[in-house]
Amino acid sequence: MARNEQLIRQHKLLQLLEDSRFGRTIDELKYDLVADLGLSTLHGRTVRRDIEALQAAGYDIQNEMVERGKVYRLGRNHTAVHEIAFSATELIALAIGRELLTPLMGTQYWQGIETFWNKVQEAIPEGVYEHYQRYRKVLYVSGTPSKTYAAHAGMLKTITRCILEHRVVEIEYKSVGRPSSRRQIEPYALAVHQSSIYVVAAAPEVTDASERLRNWKLDRFKLARVTDEYFKPDPKVDLAKFLSKSIGIFSGETSTQVQIRLGPRSASYVKEDPWHPDQVLEPVDPDTNTPDDVDTDEDISGTDFILTVPASHPRELLPKVLALGADAEVLSPAEYRDAVAAVVGTLADRYGTP
């Protein structure tokens, strides 16, 4: 726990020194650290030890006496610790990555992306940047959402701190169609899925280990408060595996294999833009009406396909299946087929002839 707190504090200390043009005293740094990290107390000796640790790691942190006392600032050589040479091709890749990360706009992560990008632009030779500007016009990124998490920046800082320190966080959460309620969660990580940020956290009141870990959408947080209670993360939790079990963001230790019959056109769409890395797309044998062992890379006009894909909840499958219209039919399991049938029935009543 102490090691994590030290890393968080030192990282914030570097940010404060980077943002300070005229340097800061130990007391000024201590005050800002307490305010930004929500600490109850912090001794000046701790700040000095953190500065010494950063100096030992290679950061050029200098000090001098001024009218208000001894101030610390980053020296001119501190950038040499991270000096990197960029090519025009690497700049293009970096710029595209920056645009794809616009869902993080308004968060501390986006602030880091922007300051880093500005430093890159200032550091590269003029000729390389001109070459980058010409070739950047070849590829454009569109379709990224315009949403921002600026209103959640404070809560995001609180949750990030609780993840690093393994602290229980008290939240006020409002699910769609339900009144807001207060509860406690044990946060493990943050995840970005289809332009939205989710908090992967355990529900302490759930006793079944396979059901404790869930995903909470940050948009629905009305409050996030650090508590004095710590939790011990489950060492068996594999977050990469947990987040890859389904085509959507619905959580669960296990997933269900759903079979969907697709027409040739829809099968082509799903082949071009897969729903999941583990999906299986097989042509249907017209004689047996079952998946056929045929190379799907061949052009089989007029042939239907069976798509087998993992899912954790019918709701994450509904928009994908309905978007394909009558060219897609959920075959199994019954729960998923019934969920689609219920929505189709409601739509038929709504759009049917009076």
Side-chain angles (χ1 to χ4, degrees):
M1 189 66 61
R3 176 60 176 166
N4 277 341
E5 291 177 352
Q6 183 185 41
L7 290 174
I8 297 167
R9 200 173 56 243
Q10 291 177 359
H11 177 71
K12 187 61 186 179
L13 184 59
L14 275 178
Q15 288 182 321
L16 294 172
L17 291 173
E18 288 172 353
D19 294 340
S20 176
R21 182 178 179 183
F22 301 105
R24 299 193 184 192
T25 66
I26 291 293
D27 285 341
E28 290 168 347
L29 290 169
K30 181 179 69 172
Y31 176 83
D32 288 335
L33 286 169
V34 169
D36 289 356
L37 297 179
L39 304 176
S40 55
T41 59
L42 181 64
H43 202 284
R45 287 197 301 270
T46 303
V47 179
R48 287 193 181 89
R49 285 196 294 266
D50 285 341
I51 291 176
E52 292 169 359
L54 291 170
Q55 289 172 325
Y59 288 92
D60 182 18
I61 301 178
Q62 303 175 359
N63 65 79
E64 63 174 327
M65 290 298 300
V66 297
E67 186 176 346
R68 69 181 194 275
K70 181 184 287 188
V71 297
Y72 294 81
R73 63 162 60 94
L74 285 177
R76 294 183 178 181
N77 297 326
H78 80 278
T79 54
V81 179
H82 309 291
E83 189 171 345
I84 301 174
F86 290 94
S87 68
T89 303
E90 290 166 339
L91 281 176
I92 292 171
L94 182 62
I96 294 170
R98 172 179 169 271
E99 293 182 21
L100 291 174
L101 290 173
T102 52
L104 297 177
M105 191 176 293
T107 71
Q108 68 266 38
Y109 303 109
W110 183 256
Q111 181 183 359
I113 293 169
E114 286 294 89
T115 54
F116 177 70
W117 177 246
N118 291 335
K119 289 178 182 178
V120 168
Q121 290 178 300
E122 294 173 359
I124 60 176
E126 184 177 348
V128 173
Y129 191 71
E130 291 177 353
H131 183 73
Y132 151 77
Q133 285 184 311
R134 287 199 304 271
Y135 278 85
R136 184 65 183 88
K137 296 178 180 178
V138 174
L139 179 62
Y140 290 86
V141 177
S142 65
T144 54
S146 58
K147 71 187 297 183
T148 172
Y149 281 100
H152 295 77
M155 287 186 281
L156 192 57
K157 287 183 179 180
T158 296
I159 294 167
T160 301
R161 177 189 171 193
C162 290
I163 291 171
L164 293 170
E165 297 182 4
H166 308 317
R167 285 200 183 198
V168 175
V169 57
E170 180 183 358
I171 66 171
E172 182 177 343
Y173 192 79
K174 188 180 187 312
S175 299
V176 176
R178 299 179 184 177
S180 60
S181 61
R182 291 207 178 194
R183 57 172 301 123
Q184 292 187 340
I185 58 174
E186 301 171 353
Y188 276 69
L190 298 170
V192 179
H193 177 76
Q194 292 183 352
S195 79
S196 294
I197 298 178
Y198 291 81
V199 181
V200 184
E205 74 278 4
V206 178
T207 56
D208 186 348
S210 64
E211 298 292 334
R212 293 187 78 237
L213 209 59
R214 302 177 183 183
N215 300 318
W216 313 79
K217 197 171 185 179
L218 185 59
D219 306 63
R220 300 170 186 170
F221 280 62
K222 305 302 178 184
L223 170 74
R225 186 182 66 83
V226 181
T227 71
D228 293 329
E229 184 179 351
Y230 293 85
F231 69 92
K232 185 177 181 180
D234 186 348
K236 297 180 182 179
V237 170
D238 185 339
L239 290 175
K241 185 178 179 181
F242 173 80
L243 292 169
S244 65
K245 284 184 176 294
S246 178
I247 60 173
I249 195 63
F250 282 87
S251 57
E253 283 295 316
T254 59
S255 57
T256 301
Q257 295 298 313
V258 182
Q259 286 198 322
I260 308 165
R261 183 165 185 148
L262 303 175
R265 181 181 293 273
S266 293
S268 297
Y269 292 149
V270 175
K271 184 179 178 182
E272 289 175 352
D273 298 304
W275 291 2
H276 192 274
D278 296 333
Q279 72 178 36
V280 177
L281 191 62
E282 302 169 288
V284 174
D285 186 333
D287 296 327
T288 63
N289 204 33
T290 58
D292 193 8
D293 186 16
V294 180
D295 185 2
T296 56
D297 289 332
E298 296 181 5
D299 182 16
I300 310 175
S301 59
T303 302
D304 285 355
F305 287 75
I306 298 294
L307 170 68
T308 304
V309 64
S312 293
H313 196 282
R315 285 205 302 270
E316 65 187 358
L317 198 71
L318 277 171
K320 290 183 173 293
V321 172
L322 295 176
L324 298 176
D327 208 33
E329 178 189 0
V330 176
L331 302 178
S332 65
E335 176 189 3
Y336 285 76
R337 181 179 175 89
D338 292 345
V340 176
V343 174
V344 172
T346 300
L347 291 175
D349 293 338
R350 183 169 299 167
Y351 289 98
T353 304

